[in-house]
Amino acid sequence: MDILPTDILATFQTLFDEAAAAGEPDRTAMTLATATPDGRPSARTVLLKAHDPRGFVFYSHLDGRKGRELQANPRAALLFHWPRVRDGVQVRIEGAVEVVSDDEADAYFASRPRGSQLGAWASKQSETLDTRETFEARLAQFEREFEGREVPRPPRWTGFRVVPHAVEFWYGAQYRLHERQLHERGPDGTWTARMLYP
């Protein structure tokens, strides 16, 4: 089901394109904030792998810390910061989180470099690692296991889609007189827009 109105998605796409033109080191890098059911937050940088009217997608292990938190408390916030765009731009997104379809996850996994595919099998994401050699041995194990054939997607590795209920476009200005445009989706699915003081 499409969630994002055309104008919001078009504004994001314009800024996303400007980030590439401005030479941002990685325009897909975004801060992902999650929280445990009792409200303990954590944040890390992940990479945007897809965006469309349904929302914003990234990939990870279900059993890592963020995967566990998103399954227990399926809400998240995303933050893009592109300091080279205009006078600095941020895009803030908040919403519910859903797991992408198996077909979607399979298609994305198949597009990854083989080394990244093998790394997804070798990593017990967020678990304690005694030595780097242990991880390298696991990587070698999966290299042998999948030698001469395609690497399938690990069963506990998939994508998460943030389905927005709020999107804010923040435009930097001198003297901290920034411009902020907030779009919000109400309970009936209708989107409204308003400006915020900087």
Side-chain angles (χ1 to χ4, degrees), residues 4-16 56 78-80 82 86 88-93 164 166-172 178-184 191-198:
L4 278 174
T6 304
D7 61 328
I8 297 175
L9 195 58
T11 300
F12 178 84
Q13 188 63 53
T14 295
L15 296 171
F16 194 64
F56 298 81
L78 304 173
L79 171 65
F80 293 89
W82 298 314
R86 305 183 190 187
V89 168
Q90 296 182 63
V91 182
R92 301 176 60 231
I93 298 161
V167 178
E168 180 186 331
F169 298 107
W170 181 102
Y171 302 94
H178 313 308
E179 179 182 332
R180 300 174 63 185
Q181 299 282 348
L182 176 63
H183 302 262
E184 296 172 295
W191 285 84
T192 59
R194 58 192 171 100
M195 294 184 68
L196 301 178
Y197 277 98

Side-chain angles (χ1 to χ4, degrees), residues 10-88:
T11 300
F12 178 84
Q13 188 63 53
T14 295
L15 296 171
F16 194 64
D17 292 342
E18 287 183 27
E24 291 290 352
D26 189 346
R27 64 179 176 163
T28 70
M30 56 188 184
T31 301
L32 165 69
T34 60
T36 58
D38 62 350
R40 287 178 295 150
S42 62
R44 75 289 287 158
T45 301
V46 298
L47 302 180
L48 176 70
K49 294 302 180 182
H51 61 284
D52 60 28
R54 298 172 296 167
F56 298 81
V57 176
F58 63 93
Y59 287 83
S60 188
H61 285 271
L62 287 168
D63 299 326
R65 179 176 177 180
K66 61 182 170 294
R68 294 193 309 269
E69 289 183 358
L70 288 169
Q71 290 171 89
N73 181 10
R75 301 172 187 85
L78 304 173
L79 171 65
F80 293 89
H81 180 214
W82 298 314
R84 299 181 183 186
V85 175
R86 305 183 190 187
D87 291 317

Side-chain angles (χ1 to χ4, degrees), residues 109 114 117-122 138-155:
F109 189 81
R114 188 175 180 86
Q117 293 175 334
L118 292 168
W121 280 93
R138 284 182 56 81
L139 187 58
Q141 169 197 335
F142 287 108
E143 286 175 341
R144 291 189 298 271
E145 181 173 335
F146 297 118
E147 187 175 0
R149 62 190 179 101
E150 291 185 1
V151 180
R153 177 173 62 91

